[in-house]
Every structure is written in structure tokens, then in C-alpha cells.
Amino acid sequence: MPKRNIIWILLAFFFMPHMTAAVHKGKKEVVLSEPTLRDKVKGAWAGQTLGCSYGGPTEFKFLGTIIQDYIPIPWDKHMVKKWYDTFPGLYDDVYVDLTFVEVFERCGLDAPVDSFAAAFRRAEYPLWHANQVARYNLLQGMKAPQSGYWKNNPHAHCIDFQIEADFAGIMSPGMPNQAAEICDRVGHIMSYGEGWYGGVYVAAMYSLAYVSNDVEYIVKEALKVIPEESDFHKCMSDVIRWHRKYPNDWKRTWFELQNKWSEEISCPEGIHNSFNIGTKINGAYILLGLLYGQGDFTKTIDISTRAGQDSDCNPASAAGILGTMIGYSNIPEYWKEALHEVEDIPFSNTDISLNKAYDMTYRHACDMLRKHGNVKAGNDFIIRRENIRPVALEVAFENLKVSDKLTIEKSIDDVNPFSFEGTGLVVKGYVAGGLPADYTAEMEVYIDGKFYETTALPQELNHRKCELFFCYDRPAGQHTVTFKWKNPVPNGKIWITEIIIYTTK
């Protein structure tokens, strides 16, 4: 037997065949047996599904406030099946992930951006915010990554990619740089800047959860993948710092976050109100659960939920990361029993169930380990530690501030021409009048008397445009906007509900 193989086998014996200690104390390799790898893959998907289910009853019902301890959050062994039956759209955290998992299954590990974008464009499951705008952009002929770029997507900083980047980390055991590369291909379909960073960070935490049993190490080490200059990095660093300062009081850290990081300037739904679907604040709530949960599955899932806002997605990410670290076999039966009656049921508008996801992602993880030079000795993978590289700096909505938010509630004919002072605006509204689902209104927009664009406004819910119009790139000053309906129909109206005006700082 070659000397090199003997050395690897001895290493495998030394490090144990199952989960090893954390890699952060000078270790260059970690050994992961095939059964342990499979158990961790299952723990990742199971944790994500359980977290999403637990937070379902409270999603966006507690805005800018904590869900206090005396408020019960219902749970029993039939809760997951109930959501499958009554509101399958709750699992957008999972079914969007699985769209991209299926592309890897079909096209291989080197699948190009266009393959992911085409699969996402064809999907007919419910979507919201950055995901829905990206799907609209793709359906209108725009290519990725322009579909997620902030000037084409007002929701580019929303949570969307953060909640669906799990797959990139689950298939990249101990390889956060490779997880980030996958995020680059997929995440820019719908996100940019902070919205993309949230997904990259979550994927890196999943990746490191395979090779470390230390939550604090996972949270801090994974943050190296995010540029330090970014606000996202600064916000996550604050959570880590406040956790050290208030180690037994997650609510104090929550209040510090609310005071410093709760302002929303991008997502039109969150302007001048308590609703916040931004990646920073919700990503911080993932860390609240992980750090203050101290490796306890129940505490982790409960704290991330009780932080509020997107209170199904945040515990889904936290529980998925922790589920990867401890493995499916160590998730308490109190939680796990709720999965037994759904593990063979496909998620909404997919043919992939949890059991199928376990198998597919396990194969992808094995393929990724082999592709990137991680040696296998018998039934054990010897995973080499990576020096984490930060991804590129991306800045969106730079130097913009909201100068006004106007409630209109008028048809476009009643507001023409509309005047504003600033550098851009977002116009919210809808097409009304009992129109058929296959009808698409076409609206021309003129700025300062010059044609700017024709925008399509489909009636089909899954093809809709979330806002009537937006632009951010006008020179500072006074402007007029005129709207013209090109293909009007009897009894139809294009209603404007709100106008958000931006100026430079």
C-alpha cells in the first residue's frame, strides 16, 4: 500500500469515524464518515422545514416587537402536515432551494447561470418580493444577473436569497468558498448587495456546521466570507459583540439591533412602517437564535422565532444550520416526529420530497468533496480546512434616502402629470376592473416629457410586477412623470396607491 494512503487511514482513525471536534484550534483536516455526512444532510433539511413550520403562525404578525414569552406558539406532531395541506406557500424557504437542487441533479455541478434562471423562471409556485420581481424580469426577457440588480429590482436587499441559499452550504461540506461560488451563480438572479450577502453568509454557516461543533466559531468564521466594509458585516459583527456583552439576555441584544439597524430604505413595503423584510435585521435574528440557543435545538428555534418580523424564515435558517451541526439523529424526537407523515410528500409545485432531497443533496455533497480534492479513506472523507476568502463588495441604494411617501389612491389619469423633487421614485399600485387572468396592461412612462419605458403589468398572480414603476437614476432636481395606458379595456383602471420619493443624502 502506498505510504500516502497509510497516512490518510491513520489520520482517519485518529480523528474518529464520526463528528470530530471543531476545526478552529489548528486542525488542518476533519474526518467525516459517510453515515455522519448523510445524517448531517438530513439534519439540515429537517431543521429548515421544522423552523419554517414552527414560525408559520407568527410570520409578520409581530413587527418591530418581540413575541413575549407568555405568548404561546402552537406545536404538535401534525403541525408540519397542517401547513403542507393548508398553506404550502409557507415553504418558499424550501421549494425555491429545491428548484436549484434539481438543476444540479440534471445538469451537474458546473451548471451555468442560465440553467438556474430558466428553472426559476418556469416555476409556478407563489413568490414574493425579490424573488417575484426577478421572475417577472426573467419572464419579460431580462437575463440574470441583471434580474436581481438593484436598479432593476427594488427588493434586491430583501430576505429572499437568504432564505433559499441553504442548498449551497448543504452541498459544500467544510467548503465555504465553494458555497460562495454557488451563491454567486444563483443568488444574483434575485438579489444584490446585502440581499446577496445574507445568502452567502447563511451558506457559509451551513458549510462550516459540517466540520465544527462550536456555534460561536461557525458564526464568526463564516462572517469572513463577507466584506468588512459592508453594512451587513457590521450588523452581524454587532450581534456577535453584543452577545459577548450580554451573554444571557437575547432581548437586550434585540433592542440594540432595533435601535441601530432597523431602518428600511429599499423595500417599498417597509418604507415608513414597522414591517421589515430586509436581510440585515432578519439575518441578525438568525444569529440571535444560534448564539443564545447555545446548541439547544428548542431554544434556538424559539429565540429566532420570538425576535419577530419574518419569523418563519429566520428559525428555518437557524434550525437548519444547527441541524447540520448536530445531525438528524440528534434533533429531539419532540420536533422530528412532525416530519414522519410528510417526508415522502413533494413540496408545492415540485416533485421533490424531503426524503428525495436528503438523497439528492447527499450525492451532491459527496461529488463536491471529490471534485475539490478532499481525499476519501475507506468510508471516511478527510476534509481539508479552507482559508476563507471574502466575496466582492457590492453596494446598492448608495447615498439614497427617502424624502417622502405619499398616499394617492387615484387612477393614473387623475395624477398626470405627477411632479416630484429628487433623484428617483417607486410607484405602487395595481390594475383593477375584473380583468381576465391572461390580460397584460401596457403602460408607457414619460419623465420630463421624454419617453422612459413601456412596462408590462400582467394580471396573472405568479407573473405580476410588484410595483407599477420605479427608477433611481434621475439627476437631482424637479421632475414630472406622465403615465399612458396603451391598451385600455372597458371598466379597467390602473390605480396608484403610494409614491415613494428618493433623494440623495
Side-chain angles (χ1 to χ4, degrees):
M1 181 182 292
K3 182 178 180 181
R4 183 170 179 270
N5 288 350
I6 294 172
I7 292 171
W8 283 121
I9 291 171
L10 289 173
L11 279 170
F13 179 80
F14 177 77
F15 279 113
M16 301 167 55
H18 297 289
M19 180 59 199
T20 63
V23 302
H24 63 292
K25 295 181 179 178
K27 293 183 174 66
K28 299 299 183 183
E29 298 92 15
V30 170
V31 176
L32 217 57
S33 70
E34 286 182 337
T36 301
L37 178 63
R38 183 179 288 275
D39 192 49
K40 287 175 173 293
V41 169
K42 287 186 66 174
W45 288 113
Q48 187 185 12
T49 305
L50 289 167
C52 190
S53 305
Y54 181 67
T58 61
E59 182 187 18
F60 288 119
K61 292 181 179 177
F62 293 82
L63 308 179
T65 186
I66 288 170
I67 305 173
Q68 296 289 352
D69 296 338
Y70 60 80
I71 299 175
I73 299 176
W75 184 260
D76 60 48
K77 65 181 181 179
H78 302 298
M79 187 63 69
V80 179
K81 182 64 162 57
K82 187 199 83 167
W83 288 116
Y84 267 59
D85 293 341
T86 60
F87 182 43
L90 179 72
Y91 296 103
D92 56 336
D93 304 61
V94 184
Y95 57 59
V96 179
D97 278 80
L98 295 178
T99 300
F100 305 129
V101 170
E102 190 278 330
V103 172
F104 280 114
E105 182 77 2
R106 180 166 41 87
C107 302
L109 298 183
D110 296 321
V113 173
D114 288 348
S115 295
F116 296 108
F120 184 71
R121 182 186 67 239
R122 290 192 300 267
E124 285 294 333
Y125 39 56
L127 292 173
W128 297 270
H129 292 266
N131 278 336
Q132 179 55 35
V133 177
R135 181 166 62 181
Y136 168 87
N137 286 341
L138 293 168
L139 287 168
Q140 296 302 313
M142 189 179 292
K143 297 286 188 181
Q146 289 303 310
S147 53
Y149 185 59
W150 68 278
K151 288 189 178 181
N152 302 321
N153 192 333
H155 299 268
H157 273 185
C158 290
I159 198 175
D160 300 65
F161 186 56
Q162 181 167 274
I163 74 174
E164 62 212 21
D166 313 68
F167 77 97
I170 301 171
M171 67 184 288
S172 305
M175 297 179 288
N177 293 326
Q178 305 310 319
E181 187 279 327
I182 294 170
C183 289
D184 187 31
R185 272 186 277 167
V186 178
H188 285 118
I189 293 172
M190 68 289 294
S191 297
Y192 186 84
E194 291 174 10
W196 183 59
Y197 288 153
V200 176
Y201 184 42
V202 163
M205 287 192 283
Y206 270 99
S207 179
L208 291 173
Y210 280 98
V211 294
S212 175
N213 54 14
D214 183 333
V215 171
E216 288 190 38
Y217 169 78
I218 291 167
V219 165
K220 290 190 285 188
E221 184 73 2
L223 194 54
K224 292 179 180 178
V225 80
I226 306 299
E228 292 182 3
E229 311 96 299
S230 67
D231 279 351
F232 185 87
H233 189 289
K234 293 172 185 175
C235 180
M236 300 307 114
S237 296
D238 276 346
V239 180
I240 294 167
R241 178 170 58 86
W242 290 324
H243 172 251
R244 288 197 301 265
K245 189 173 182 180
Y246 314 112
N248 301 311
D249 190 354
W250 73 264
K251 294 177 182 178
R252 175 61 185 269
T253 296
W254 183 94
F255 278 105
E256 298 286 358
L257 281 164
Q258 188 71 10
N259 183 52
K260 185 173 180 180
W261 292 110
S262 62
E263 181 184 8
E264 176 59 73
I265 67 157
S266 54
C267 174
E269 296 298 321
I271 301 298
H272 290 185
N273 62 51
S274 57
F275 174 87
N276 195 326
I277 199 171
T279 303
K280 283 200 306 289
I281 198 73
N282 287 283
Y285 296 164
I286 296 171
L287 295 199
L288 284 182
L290 287 170
L291 291 172
Y292 286 94
Q294 299 173 314
D296 180 282
F297 194 85
T298 298
K299 285 176 64 178
T300 298
I301 209 171
D302 192 58
I303 291 171
S304 280
T305 300
R306 290 186 182 277
Q309 295 292 354
D310 202 341
S311 63
D312 69 319
C313 295
N314 302 328
S317 298
I321 292 163
L322 184 60
T324 309
M325 191 185 89
I326 65 176
Y328 181 88
S329 58
N330 290 310
I331 294 175
E333 187 63 25
Y334 170 77
W335 295 100
K336 206 161 45 183
E337 65 178 352
L339 297 175
H340 299 331
E341 59 186 348
V342 303
E343 284 180 301
D344 284 317
I345 301 175
F347 285 92
S348 174
N349 285 277
T350 80
D351 63 356
I352 304 176
S353 65
L354 274 171
N355 277 329
K356 194 171 180 180
Y358 301 154
D359 291 338
M360 292 168 68
T361 313
Y362 172 73
R363 291 197 305 273
H364 298 165
C366 291
D367 291 345
M368 283 286 287
L369 285 167
R370 295 187 192 99
K371 177 180 178 180
H372 295 285
N374 294 283
V375 174
K376 194 175 183 190
N379 291 325
D380 298 330
F381 285 100
I382 294 89
I383 303 175
R384 294 174 298 136
R385 180 180 180 179
E386 288 188 346
N387 292 319
I388 299 178
R389 302 184 300 269
V391 297
L393 180 65
E394 296 182 354
V395 181
F397 307 100
E398 187 174 17
N399 295 323
L400 288 180
K401 69 174 182 179
V402 176
S403 62
D404 208 351
K405 176 183 175 181
L406 307 174
T407 300
I408 304 296
E409 297 294 347
K410 293 181 179 180
S411 75
I412 58 172
D413 294 330
D414 295 327
V415 301
N416 283 332
F418 171 77
S419 297
F420 74 97
E421 184 171 356
T423 56
L425 76 168
V426 175
V427 180
K428 296 174 60 180
Y430 57 93
V431 183
L435 306 175
D438 62 353
Y439 173 74
T440 297
E442 296 179 5
M443 185 178 74
E444 291 181 340
V445 182
Y446 296 82
I447 298 180
D448 300 330
K450 296 180 180 180
F451 174 76
Y452 186 83
E453 70 175 28
T454 298
T455 186
L457 303 171
Q459 288 294 283
E460 168 60 43
L461 183 65
N462 285 343
H463 299 173
R464 73 193 184 281
K465 188 177 184 183
C466 293
E467 286 77 34
L468 294 178
F469 174 72
F470 52 85
C471 73
Y472 301 99
D473 55 4
R474 297 295 86 194
Q478 191 79 20
H479 302 281
T480 60
V481 182
T482 304
F483 304 100
K484 180 181 178 181
W485 192 356
K486 284 184 63 178
N487 59 339
V489 292
N491 302 318
K493 292 282 187 181
I494 299 179
W495 285 99
I496 293 175
T497 57
E498 293 178 344
I499 297 178
I500 299 164
I501 301 170
Y502 286 87
T503 187
T504 52
K505 290 185 179 180

